[in-house]
Amino acid sequence: MRDGVTLSADVYLPLGANGLPTIVQWTPYESTRERFVSWGVWFAQRGYAAVVVDVRGRYESGGTFTAWEHDGRDAYDTLTWAAGEQWSNGRIGTWGRSYGGLVQWQLAHLGHPNLQCIAPQVIHDDYFWDGYWTGGAFQLALTLGAAALWSSAISLITGPSARDIVLNDRIFGHLPLVELDEVTIGRKVDYWRLWWEHQVNDDYWQGFRHRPEKVQVPIFQQGAWFDPYSGSHLRSFGAIGDRVPNRVLIGPWSHEEEVEAFRGDVDLTPALTVIRDHELVFYDRFLKDVANDWDDRPPAELYVLGANEWRGEREWPLARATATAFHLRSGGALSVDGPKADEPADRYDYDPADPVPTVGGVNSVLTMTQGAETPIRPGPLDQRVLEARDDVLAYTSEPLDLDLEVIGPVEVTLFAASSARDTDFIVRICDVYPDGRSIFLTEGIIRARYRGSVEGESVELLEPGEVAEYRIRLYPMANVFRRGHRIRLDLTSSSFPRFSRNLNTGEDVGTGTRMQVAHQTVLHTPAYPSHVLLPVVAA
């Protein structure tokens, strides 16, 4: 590297070959793990030099690891090194999932002359509002898992003894949150403590934000409806437009690469595809100039649940989709008709000592928590076990007379009052089947103190009892609600341990330990028309 630090790179080559198109990835998760060895072998067998680099300060690489800070420069220097090796012909593409996708975005805007194409997968764009503080709520399981993984051995989290050491109620339930680094691995982690010093979306977070407008090479993004970063990929896809060859694929799985192993409470087998085959066509087209069908493929390939089919699109959001309001109504109804003036409010109590557990949904921690005391499973799981709780409100439409296709971004406007100075509101959209299954589709969260901001740049505590307006951005969705099905909106105030519990006191999130019950009031009147906007595509 330019500062003299040496990084460790494992290079996979066809025997005796030189002058090859080259694919590089970076990881903090140990380059000699089987998944990275098999990746290198797979591409080498297909005529590429495949390179896996331990990021700075991890495993065999020198230097000190600090999340995100060195990755762009180190990736740039890696490409310069690789381009000068005899096994490379200087045409370099990049690959990477999660942290490996992050590194590519930090590299992309630097304009390296040997960079020919990038493939960042399952990664956020805004590190605060769509990442570690989603909607202002701290992503506890993800962020703690990441800090532990990046500061120790990966087996601590993913190994068979993880539930006894880390992934259990003793750890997840510990307060104050700022101490969790020491509680988990026995020592302070500098960047974990740094994140707690930046509880708004300030210059620290914005300094890492991805820059799709700076992308100058072909790009292929892969995301998932049940991974937290589908919105990021689709926003980036829309921002890049047709300036460069630009393609995105979003399937009904989560963060993991092994999509064939993903399960839900609906049949997902029609979605099965081999992501690596898509990647090979991409690299063959832009690193080998192979005349294949890449240019003929639709720029956006989206799997539409309910219809159970892949759909090709050319834009995001879809111009033909119409934002249609479905209103929360008295008696747990959800209707296109607006509320009446005399509709009574709905109420529930949220107790952080008894939070609503995470059941399915959108999250990226299946690999990290598969050995947990209570695994955190993402996906389209039946939500009835949660809807039976007293602290979950459910609003359900009448059975549909016709199929209803919904594809695009989703937003909820909620009018609510709370007895607390701060609290959370979580909204989920479900597809209710004729047999009663309430199948999760998408969700969103807002921490009340961030309600007046656009993307978490400022905070303001609540006045207890005062009605406030909450605009809640949900993850995008693609679903056909079939005739006879119903649309359901679930509303609650916790999803633990995906998100840290809001203690409802308004005290500092990192150092607070005192809990109180929040008495929540949800309004739906002409003056306070709580509703969800669904992007409806005309038949």
Side-chain angles (χ1 to χ4, degrees):
M1 301 296 103
R2 65 190 66 182
D3 61 355
V5 169
T6 299
L7 304 190
S8 172
D10 302 317
V11 183
Y12 298 85
L13 306 169
L15 288 174
N18 282 311
L20 299 172
T22 302
I23 305 172
V24 184
Q25 68 157 305
W26 296 261
T27 181
Y29 302 126
E30 191 174 9
S31 64
T32 52
R33 288 173 66 210
E34 169 56 28
R35 67 170 51 248
F36 298 121
V37 174
S38 63
W39 177 90
V41 169
W42 195 90
F43 277 108
Q45 288 174 333
R46 287 154 180 83
Y48 289 92
V51 183
V52 188
V53 182
D54 284 323
V55 299
R56 177 183 294 244
R58 294 295 288 147
Y59 293 95
E60 296 180 315
S61 287
T64 301
F65 176 85
T66 301
W68 323 316
E69 290 193 4
H70 302 284
D71 294 309
R73 293 187 301 274
D74 285 353
Y76 190 102
D77 294 349
T78 300
L79 263 59
T80 300
W81 161 79
E85 295 296 296
Q86 64 179 3
W87 38 260
S88 177
N89 67 3
R91 299 185 68 178
I92 302 177
T94 58
W95 183 96
R97 302 177 65 83
S98 196
Y99 201 102
L102 175 159
V103 177
Q104 293 177 80
W105 280 110
Q106 299 298 342
L107 166 70
H109 68 274
L110 300 180
H112 196 287
N114 294 97
L115 183 63
Q116 302 285 295
C117 58
I118 62 175
Q121 302 174 8
V122 290
I123 192 61
H124 47 65
D125 55 355
D126 184 323
Y127 289 45
F128 185 90
W129 198 242
D130 209 50
Y132 294 83
W133 299 80
T134 300
F138 187 67
Q139 281 209 73
L140 175 61
L142 167 70
T143 309
L144 176 61
L149 284 172
W150 300 340
S151 303
S152 59
I154 195 167
S155 58
L156 181 71
I157 302 296
T158 63
S161 298
R163 64 184 297 164
D164 301 313
I165 303 170
V166 176
L167 301 177
N168 53 56
D169 293 342
R170 178 182 68 86
I171 297 292
F172 285 136
H174 179 84
L175 294 172
L177 293 173
V178 71
E179 294 178 351
L180 273 173
D181 52 353
E182 288 187 284
V183 171
T184 303
I185 62 171
R187 61 181 181 277
K188 292 182 179 179
V189 176
D190 290 345
Y191 46 87
W192 169 267
R193 301 290 171 132
L194 183 61
W195 297 339
W196 287 109
E197 295 174 11
H198 296 273
Q199 295 185 33
V200 294
N201 201 356
D202 56 17
D203 289 344
Y204 167 77
W205 299 101
Q206 288 300 304
F208 302 112
R209 185 166 184 158
H210 299 162
R211 305 178 193 177
E213 73 281 358
K214 297 287 189 180
V215 172
Q216 300 297 329
V217 296
I219 179 172
F220 174 37
Q221 299 182 86
Q222 180 262 306
W225 296 125
F226 303 108
D227 181 75
Y229 314 124
S230 58
S232 301
H233 288 299
L234 289 164
R235 283 191 298 271
S236 295
F237 169 79
I240 293 168
D242 58 4
R243 290 188 298 103
V244 298
N246 175 22
R247 184 169 171 237
V248 65
L249 181 146
I250 308 288
W253 45 76
S254 186
H255 201 65
E256 285 66 34
E257 189 174 5
E258 300 80 14
V259 300
E260 70 281 355
F262 189 73
R263 297 289 181 269
D265 288 337
V266 291
D267 182 13
L268 298 174
T269 55
L272 288 181
T273 189
V274 180
I275 295 173
R276 187 129 308 149
D277 289 345
H278 293 265
E279 295 167 349
L280 183 63
V281 177
F282 173 66
Y283 292 122
D284 281 351
R285 169 67 180 84
F286 295 109
L287 294 180
K288 291 184 176 181
D289 299 324
V290 172
N292 54 33
D293 69 348
W294 184 267
D295 295 339
D296 300 325
R297 297 185 179 191
E301 287 192 272
L302 313 175
Y303 187 79
V304 181
L305 290 144
N308 300 322
E309 64 184 19
W310 286 97
R311 189 79 56 80
E313 300 290 350
R314 307 199 67 82
E315 62 185 356
W316 187 268
L318 307 186
R320 67 182 188 279
T322 301
T324 304
F326 286 76
H327 293 88
L328 280 59
R329 299 293 305 275
S330 180
L334 186 69
S335 173
V336 292
D337 298 324
K340 297 179 180 179
D342 59 351
E343 292 193 11
D346 297 315
R347 293 178 170 83
Y348 66 95
D349 290 342
Y350 158 53
D351 183 356
D354 180 26
V356 176
T358 303
V359 174
V362 176
N363 64 72
S364 60
V365 295
L366 179 59
T367 295
M368 284 197 288
T369 68
Q370 59 192 349
E373 189 173 38
T374 304
I376 303 172
R377 290 182 58 206
L381 300 188
D382 192 340
Q383 298 294 295
R384 284 179 293 181
V385 65
L386 300 185
E387 292 164 355
R389 291 177 57 116
D390 291 338
D391 52 0
V392 178
L393 301 179
Y395 299 88
T396 310
S397 74
E398 294 294 323
L400 296 170
D401 295 329
L402 299 169
D403 289 354
L404 186 72
E405 183 172 303
V406 178
I407 302 178
V410 180
E411 184 176 87
V412 164
T413 298
L414 176 69
F415 293 94
S418 178
S419 63
R421 297 300 311 278
D422 189 29
T423 195
D424 291 350
F425 289 104
I426 297 173
V427 176
R428 300 187 180 97
I429 304 298
C430 298
D431 186 345
V432 182
Y433 282 59
D435 62 9
R437 281 176 296 158
S438 182
I439 300 299
F440 175 95
L441 292 172
T442 188
E443 65 186 344
I445 187 169
I446 187 73
R447 184 148 287 186
R449 65 176 65 191
Y450 298 95
R451 70 196 180 282
S453 68
V454 177
E455 292 184 331
E457 67 280 358
S458 62
V459 298
E460 179 185 1
L461 295 179
L462 293 168
E463 288 296 327
E466 183 177 341
V467 177
E469 179 180 358
Y470 300 90
R471 297 175 67 90
I472 306 173
R473 184 175 76 182
L474 281 65
Y475 298 103
M477 61 182 287
N479 185 71
V480 174
F481 295 88
R482 290 299 193 184
R483 182 171 65 89
H485 288 218
R486 294 179 293 165
I487 305 168
R488 177 169 291 164
L489 184 151
D490 290 340
L491 175 64
T492 188
S493 291
S494 51
S495 178
F496 182 77
R498 187 197 167 190
F499 295 110
S500 70
R501 299 162 294 174
N502 196 315
L503 306 186
N504 298 326
T505 63
E507 296 170 0
D508 183 88
V509 178
T511 60
T513 59
R514 184 172 61 89
M515 300 184 193
Q516 67 182 42
V517 174
H519 308 294
Q520 318 288 48
T521 303
V522 177
L523 295 96
H524 33 80
T525 66
Y528 300 115
S530 297
H531 63 274
V532 58
L533 287 177
L534 295 180
V536 174
V537 178

